[in-house]
């Protein structure tokens, strides 16, 4: 009788459009009504920075293998990328302490506690995860899958004995 109504803002691109349509289709199954606002990319990010949105999909790709890469986005001092405006003094304190801690086990524990706060308060909702797909022939050597998804061609070779 009283469905949740959300407006999904998104930047103009075919992939973004497909994603928000899929999200809306999925949410419809649980009774959520979704409207859309499509914007040119610069306008979209300006709108996010002004925090003039209800819900909006954005992406982030970790450029190094560390939980801080994602948790940093929720620190109140990370103004430029903290689009949700999340501010929690306990979270910020844990992240600051983690940044100063040299003991890796203790540092991981601090970030685990910070992550628990973020999961409890839910300033962001992870909805999709990027994937990479490659079809590599068995005769190609030097291909090593890795979390950075970096595959310098200088290491790749075609093993001509395997071609036959």
């Amino acid at each position: 009788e009283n469905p949740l109504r959300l407006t999904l803002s998104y930047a103009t691109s075919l992939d973004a459009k497909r994603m928000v349509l899929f999200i809306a289709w999925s949410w419809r199954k649980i009774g959520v009504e979704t409207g859309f606002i499509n914007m040119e990319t610069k306008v979209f990010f300006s709108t996010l920075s002004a925090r003039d949105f209800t819900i909006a999909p954005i992406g982030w790709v970790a450029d190094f293998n560390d939980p801080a890469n994602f948790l940093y986005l929720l620190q109140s001092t990370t103004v430029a990328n903290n689009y949700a405006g999340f501010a929690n003094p306990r979270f910020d304190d844990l992240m600051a302490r983690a940044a100063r801690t040299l003991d890796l086990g203790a540092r991981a524990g601090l970030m685990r506690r910070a992550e628990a706060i973020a999961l409890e308060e839910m300033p962001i909702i992870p909805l999709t995860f990027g994937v990479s797909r490659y079809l590599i022939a068995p005769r190609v050597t030097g291909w090593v899958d890795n979390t950075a998804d970096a595959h310098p061609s200088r290491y790749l070779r075609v093993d001509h004995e395997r071609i036959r």
Side-chain angles (χ1 to χ4, degrees):
E1 292 177 30
N2 189 20
L4 177 62
R5 289 182 175 88
L6 295 173
T7 301
L8 238 165
S9 302
Y10 68 100
T12 301
S13 82
L14 184 56
D15 285 342
K17 184 174 183 176
R18 286 177 179 156
M19 180 176 47
V20 297
L21 289 173
F22 176 77
I23 290 168
W25 174 79
S26 300
W27 286 350
R28 188 176 321 129
K29 292 179 172 188
I30 59 170
V32 177
E33 295 178 6
T34 309
F36 303 98
I37 299 176
N38 174 259
M39 301 172 219
E40 189 272 329
T41 302
K42 284 185 180 181
V43 174
F44 174 72
F45 281 101
S46 176
T47 300
L48 292 181
S49 294
R51 297 194 179 114
D52 184 22
F53 67 98
T54 304
I55 191 163
I58 59 168
W60 188 259
V61 177
D63 52 351
F64 57 93
N65 188 14
D66 190 288
N69 202 303
F70 289 98
L71 293 174
Y72 134 90
L73 297 170
L74 298 175
Q75 289 178 258
S76 61
T77 55
T78 310
V79 178
N81 292 318
N82 185 354
Y83 297 118
F86 182 65
N88 180 301
R90 285 184 13 230
F91 179 90
D92 287 343
D93 178 61
L94 289 165
M95 291 300 293
R97 288 172 44 203
R100 294 188 306 268
T101 301
L102 298 178
D103 179 288
L104 295 180
R107 182 178 178 274
L110 291 165
M111 285 194 287
R112 194 174 302 111
R113 290 170 49 202
E115 179 184 47
I117 292 169
L119 291 171
E120 181 180 321
E121 296 200 19
M122 295 296 291
I124 60 171
I125 306 168
L127 292 174
T128 63
F129 299 89
V131 297
S132 299
R133 292 181 213 78
Y134 298 98
L135 183 60
I136 310 299
R139 64 183 174 265
V140 174
T141 62
W143 178 273
V144 178
D145 203 15
N146 58 78
T147 56
D149 201 21
H151 311 283
S153 59
R154 69 178 176 220
Y155 299 117
L156 302 178
R157 301 284 182 267
V158 175
D159 182 344
H160 294 286
E161 296 297 316
R162 292 187 186 185
I163 291 177
R164 297 169 208 199

